[in-house]
mmCIF file of all heavy atoms in Angstrom:
data_model
loop_
_atom_site.group_PDB
_atom_site.id
_atom_site.type_symbol
_atom_site.label_atom_id
_atom_site.label_comp_id
_atom_site.label_asym_id
_atom_site.label_seq_id
_atom_site.Cartn_x
_atom_site.Cartn_y
_atom_site.Cartn_z
ATOM 1 N N ARG A 1 -21.175 61.796 119.038
ATOM 2 C CA ARG A 1 -21.050 62.305 117.669
ATOM 3 C C ARG A 1 -20.058 61.468 116.860
ATOM 4 O O ARG A 1 -20.325 61.101 115.719
ATOM 5 C CB ARG A 1 -20.561 63.757 117.701
ATOM 6 C CG ARG A 1 -21.546 64.730 117.118
ATOM 7 C CD ARG A 1 -21.011 66.153 117.091
ATOM 8 N NE ARG A 1 -21.611 66.886 118.199
ATOM 9 C CZ ARG A 1 -20.955 67.439 119.208
ATOM 10 N NH1 ARG A 1 -19.646 67.378 119.261
ATOM 11 N NH2 ARG A 1 -21.589 68.068 120.168
ATOM 12 N N GLU A 2 -18.904 61.171 117.462
ATOM 13 C CA GLU A 2 -17.853 60.426 116.764
ATOM 14 C C GLU A 2 -18.299 59.035 116.338
ATOM 15 O O GLU A 2 -17.930 58.566 115.263
ATOM 16 C CB GLU A 2 -16.610 60.304 117.647
ATOM 17 C CG GLU A 2 -15.828 61.585 117.792
ATOM 18 C CD GLU A 2 -14.668 61.464 118.774
ATOM 19 O OE1 GLU A 2 -14.406 60.352 119.280
ATOM 20 O OE2 GLU A 2 -14.018 62.485 119.033
ATOM 21 N N VAL A 3 -19.079 58.368 117.191
ATOM 22 C CA VAL A 3 -19.488 57.004 116.864
ATOM 23 C C VAL A 3 -20.827 56.952 116.135
ATOM 24 O O VAL A 3 -21.266 55.884 115.730
ATOM 25 C CB VAL A 3 -19.552 56.105 118.130
ATOM 26 C CG1 VAL A 3 -18.200 56.029 118.800
ATOM 27 C CG2 VAL A 3 -20.637 56.552 119.087
ATOM 28 N N GLY A 4 -21.499 58.085 115.990
ATOM 29 C CA GLY A 4 -22.815 58.092 115.345
ATOM 30 C C GLY A 4 -23.884 57.551 116.252
ATOM 31 O O GLY A 4 -24.867 56.977 115.804
ATOM 32 N N GLY A 5 -23.699 57.752 117.548
ATOM 33 C CA GLY A 5 -24.671 57.287 118.541
ATOM 34 C C GLY A 5 -25.595 58.407 118.978
ATOM 35 O O GLY A 5 -25.920 59.291 118.200
ATOM 36 N N ASP A 6 -25.973 58.384 120.236
ATOM 37 C CA ASP A 6 -26.934 59.347 120.764
ATOM 38 C C ASP A 6 -26.590 59.627 122.225
ATOM 39 O O ASP A 6 -25.943 58.813 122.889
ATOM 40 C CB ASP A 6 -28.347 58.759 120.660
ATOM 41 C CG ASP A 6 -29.449 59.800 120.767
ATOM 42 O OD1 ASP A 6 -29.153 61.013 120.849
ATOM 43 O OD2 ASP A 6 -30.628 59.397 120.785
ATOM 44 N N ILE A 7 -27.044 60.762 122.722
ATOM 45 C CA ILE A 7 -26.880 61.094 124.130
ATOM 46 C C ILE A 7 -28.093 61.905 124.572
ATOM 47 O O ILE A 7 -28.543 62.791 123.832
ATOM 48 C CB ILE A 7 -25.564 61.873 124.393
ATOM 49 C CG1 ILE A 7 -25.399 62.161 125.897
ATOM 50 C CG2 ILE A 7 -25.503 63.135 123.570
ATOM 51 C CD1 ILE A 7 -24.029 62.695 126.269
ATOM 52 N N VAL A 8 -28.644 61.540 125.710
ATOM 53 C CA VAL A 8 -29.763 62.283 126.283
ATOM 54 C C VAL A 8 -29.556 62.405 127.790
ATOM 55 O O VAL A 8 -28.891 61.574 128.404
ATOM 56 C CB VAL A 8 -31.135 61.617 126.018
ATOM 57 C CG1 VAL A 8 -31.462 61.592 124.544
ATOM 58 C CG2 VAL A 8 -31.209 60.235 126.608
ATOM 59 N N GLN A 9 -30.155 63.445 128.339
ATOM 60 C CA GLN A 9 -30.136 63.595 129.786
ATOM 61 C C GLN A 9 -31.536 63.300 130.280
ATOM 62 O O GLN A 9 -32.512 63.870 129.804
ATOM 63 C CB GLN A 9 -29.707 65.006 130.192
ATOM 64 C CG GLN A 9 -29.618 65.168 131.688
ATOM 65 C CD GLN A 9 -28.940 66.464 132.106
ATOM 66 O OE1 GLN A 9 -28.324 67.148 131.294
ATOM 67 N NE2 GLN A 9 -29.050 66.782 133.376
ATOM 68 N N LYS A 10 -31.636 62.393 131.244
ATOM 69 C CA LYS A 10 -32.915 62.019 131.837
ATOM 70 C C LYS A 10 -33.013 62.723 133.186
ATOM 71 O O LYS A 10 -32.315 62.376 134.128
ATOM 72 C CB LYS A 10 -33.002 60.512 132.026
ATOM 73 C CG LYS A 10 -34.303 60.049 132.616
ATOM 74 C CD LYS A 10 -34.178 58.605 133.042
ATOM 75 C CE LYS A 10 -35.260 58.209 133.995
ATOM 76 N NZ LYS A 10 -35.183 58.853 135.293
ATOM 77 N N GLY A 11 -33.857 63.733 133.241
ATOM 78 C CA GLY A 11 -33.984 64.494 134.473
ATOM 79 C C GLY A 11 -32.686 65.208 134.802
ATOM 80 O O GLY A 11 -31.886 65.529 133.930
ATOM 81 N N ASP A 12 -32.477 65.446 136.075
ATOM 82 C CA ASP A 12 -31.267 66.120 136.518
ATOM 83 C C ASP A 12 -30.171 65.151 136.915
ATOM 84 O O ASP A 12 -29.078 65.583 137.275
ATOM 85 C CB ASP A 12 -31.568 67.004 137.735
ATOM 86 C CG ASP A 12 -32.425 68.199 137.382
ATOM 87 O OD1 ASP A 12 -32.375 68.634 136.219
ATOM 88 O OD2 ASP A 12 -33.144 68.684 138.274
ATOM 89 N N ASP A 13 -30.487 63.856 136.881
ATOM 90 C CA ASP A 13 -29.542 62.934 137.496
ATOM 91 C C ASP A 13 -28.979 61.841 136.613
ATOM 92 O O ASP A 13 -28.119 61.095 137.053
ATOM 93 C CB ASP A 13 -30.168 62.305 138.734
ATOM 94 C CG ASP A 13 -31.433 61.521 138.425
ATOM 95 O OD1 ASP A 13 -31.970 61.659 137.318
ATOM 96 O OD2 ASP A 13 -31.879 60.775 139.302
ATOM 97 N N GLN A 14 -29.391 61.730 135.357
ATOM 98 C CA GLN A 14 -28.867 60.643 134.529
ATOM 99 C C GLN A 14 -28.595 61.065 133.100
ATOM 100 O O GLN A 14 -29.290 61.899 132.534
ATOM 101 C CB GLN A 14 -29.840 59.466 134.513
ATOM 102 C CG GLN A 14 -29.935 58.798 135.852
ATOM 103 C CD GLN A 14 -30.835 57.583 135.812
ATOM 104 O OE1 GLN A 14 -31.721 57.492 134.986
ATOM 105 N NE2 GLN A 14 -30.589 56.658 136.716
ATOM 106 N N ILE A 15 -27.561 60.426 132.542
ATOM 107 C CA ILE A 15 -27.185 60.603 131.143
ATOM 108 C C ILE A 15 -27.199 59.209 130.512
ATOM 109 O O ILE A 15 -26.725 58.245 131.112
ATOM 110 C CB ILE A 15 -25.751 61.181 131.021
ATOM 111 C CG1 ILE A 15 -25.660 62.550 131.664
ATOM 112 C CG2 ILE A 15 -25.288 61.225 129.575
ATOM 113 C CD1 ILE A 15 -26.398 63.632 130.941
ATOM 114 N N ILE A 16 -27.755 59.119 129.315
ATOM 115 C CA ILE A 16 -27.730 57.862 128.568
ATOM 116 C C ILE A 16 -26.928 58.118 127.297
ATOM 117 O O ILE A 16 -27.240 59.037 126.540
ATOM 118 C CB ILE A 16 -29.155 57.376 128.225
ATOM 119 C CG1 ILE A 16 -29.969 57.195 129.503
ATOM 120 C CG2 ILE A 16 -29.098 56.083 127.400
ATOM 121 C CD1 ILE A 16 -31.441 56.949 129.267
ATOM 122 N N VAL A 17 -25.875 57.317 127.086
ATOM 123 C CA VAL A 17 -25.017 57.455 125.911
ATOM 124 C C VAL A 17 -25.072 56.139 125.153
ATOM 125 O O VAL A 17 -24.888 55.075 125.745
ATOM 126 C CB VAL A 17 -23.551 57.767 126.307
ATOM 127 C CG1 VAL A 17 -22.737 58.093 125.063
ATOM 128 C CG2 VAL A 17 -23.471 58.897 127.317
ATOM 129 N N THR A 18 -25.332 56.240 123.840
ATOM 130 C CA THR A 18 -25.477 55.029 123.037
ATOM 131 C C THR A 18 -24.433 54.988 121.921
ATOM 132 O O THR A 18 -23.938 56.025 121.487
ATOM 133 C CB THR A 18 -26.881 54.943 122.413
ATOM 134 O OG1 THR A 18 -27.039 55.990 121.449
ATOM 135 C CG2 THR A 18 -27.963 55.041 123.464
ATOM 136 N N PRO A 19 -24.137 53.791 121.423
ATOM 137 C CA PRO A 19 -23.153 53.635 120.342
ATOM 138 C C PRO A 19 -23.786 53.791 118.962
ATOM 139 O O PRO A 19 -24.966 54.129 118.831
ATOM 140 C CB PRO A 19 -22.672 52.200 120.558
ATOM 141 C CG PRO A 19 -23.890 51.499 121.054
ATOM 142 C CD PRO A 19 -24.582 52.511 121.936
ATOM 143 N N THR A 20 -23.006 53.484 117.965
ATOM 144 C CA THR A 20 -23.414 53.549 116.564
ATOM 145 C C THR A 20 -24.745 52.846 116.332
ATOM 146 O O THR A 20 -24.949 51.715 116.776
ATOM 147 C CB THR A 20 -22.345 52.862 115.681
ATOM 148 O OG1 THR A 20 -21.090 53.442 115.964
ATOM 149 C CG2 THR A 20 -22.673 52.990 114.210
ATOM 150 N N GLY A 21 -25.649 53.533 115.642
ATOM 151 C CA GLY A 21 -26.901 52.921 115.232
ATOM 152 C C GLY A 21 -27.949 52.779 116.318
ATOM 153 O O GLY A 21 -29.000 52.190 116.068
ATOM 154 N N VAL A 22 -27.712 53.311 117.507
ATOM 155 C CA VAL A 22 -28.700 53.206 118.594
ATOM 156 C C VAL A 22 -29.118 54.609 118.983
ATOM 157 O O VAL A 22 -28.280 55.461 119.271
ATOM 158 C CB VAL A 22 -28.120 52.481 119.831
ATOM 159 C CG1 VAL A 22 -29.146 52.425 120.939
ATOM 160 C CG2 VAL A 22 -27.642 51.092 119.463
ATOM 161 N N THR A 23 -30.419 54.864 118.953
ATOM 162 C CA THR A 23 -30.928 56.155 119.400
ATOM 163 C C THR A 23 -31.848 55.959 120.588
ATOM 164 O O THR A 23 -32.378 54.867 120.791
ATOM 165 C CB THR A 23 -31.714 56.878 118.286
ATOM 166 O OG1 THR A 23 -32.812 56.059 117.893
ATOM 167 C CG2 THR A 23 -30.847 57.174 117.084
ATOM 168 N N VAL A 24 -32.025 57.011 121.350
ATOM 169 C CA VAL A 24 -32.908 56.978 122.512
ATOM 170 C C VAL A 24 -34.180 57.726 122.111
ATOM 171 O O VAL A 24 -34.112 58.884 121.658
ATOM 172 C CB VAL A 24 -32.264 57.663 123.734
ATOM 173 C CG1 VAL A 24 -33.223 57.658 124.906
ATOM 174 C CG2 VAL A 24 -30.967 56.958 124.098
ATOM 175 N N GLY A 25 -35.334 57.067 122.257
ATOM 176 C CA GLY A 25 -36.605 57.709 121.946
ATOM 177 C C GLY A 25 -36.843 58.888 122.871
ATOM 178 O O GLY A 25 -36.563 58.826 124.065
ATOM 179 N N ARG A 26 -37.375 59.959 122.336
ATOM 180 C CA ARG A 26 -37.602 61.161 123.124
ATOM 181 C C ARG A 26 -39.005 61.217 123.723
ATOM 182 O O ARG A 26 -39.331 62.126 124.456
ATOM 183 C CB ARG A 26 -37.391 62.416 122.297
ATOM 184 C CG ARG A 26 -35.981 62.710 121.720
ATOM 185 C CD ARG A 26 -34.855 62.231 122.553
ATOM 186 N NE ARG A 26 -33.589 62.864 122.248
ATOM 187 C CZ ARG A 26 -32.537 62.244 121.758
ATOM 188 N NH1 ARG A 26 -32.593 60.960 121.465
ATOM 189 N NH2 ARG A 26 -31.403 62.884 121.572
ATOM 190 N N GLU A 27 -39.823 60.221 123.412
ATOM 191 C CA GLU A 27 -41.175 60.180 123.955
ATOM 192 C C GLU A 27 -41.348 58.937 124.823
ATOM 193 O O GLU A 27 -40.824 57.876 124.500
ATOM 194 C CB GLU A 27 -42.208 60.149 122.822
ATOM 195 C CG GLU A 27 -42.203 61.419 121.992
ATOM 196 C CD GLU A 27 -43.239 61.367 120.880
ATOM 197 O OE1 GLU A 27 -44.223 60.600 121.013
ATOM 198 O OE2 GLU A 27 -43.046 62.076 119.884
#
């Protein structure tokens, strides 16, 4: 939130955190 990035959880075992201006596609 602070950097304007993104965060998603992939399954039960992984988290992907991105910086400013980078989003993770949900499809």
Side-chain angles (χ1 to χ4, degrees):
R1 243 183 258 119
E2 287 175 5
V3 300
D6 198 4
I7 182 170
V8 296
Q9 183 169 347
K10 181 192 163 292
D12 291 333
D13 60 347
Q14 292 183 334
I15 298 291
I16 302 170
V17 188
T18 67
T20 306
V22 178
T23 60
V24 178
R26 297 328 199 245
E27 295 180 24

